[in-house]
Amino acid sequence: MTAARSAGVLALGAVWGWHAPAVLRVAGPVHLLPESAGIGPSLLRHLLPIDSV
């Protein structure tokens, strides 16, 4: 999470990974993903529409 924020990118937590959801929440992700299928929809919610760029 620290590296993502430092790089200016979206920090997402994958609860199926190494750390428990409680640990990830403390690290400060923008969103916790309960399963890998949520990656696409979560990213799409945070992207700017083409007209706003």
Side-chain angles (χ1 to χ4, degrees):
M1 299 305 154
T2 303
R5 283 193 299 277
S6 295
V9 298
L10 188 62
L12 299 174
V15 301
W16 67 89
W18 292 102
H19 300 289
V23 174
L24 290 170
R25 276 188 206 92
V26 171
V30 171
H31 185 68
L32 286 178
L33 301 168
E35 57 186 25
S36 60
I39 294 172
S42 181
L43 289 175
L44 288 174
R45 280 195 298 274
H46 294 285
L47 295 176
L48 294 174
I50 292 173
D51 295 344
S52 67
V53 177

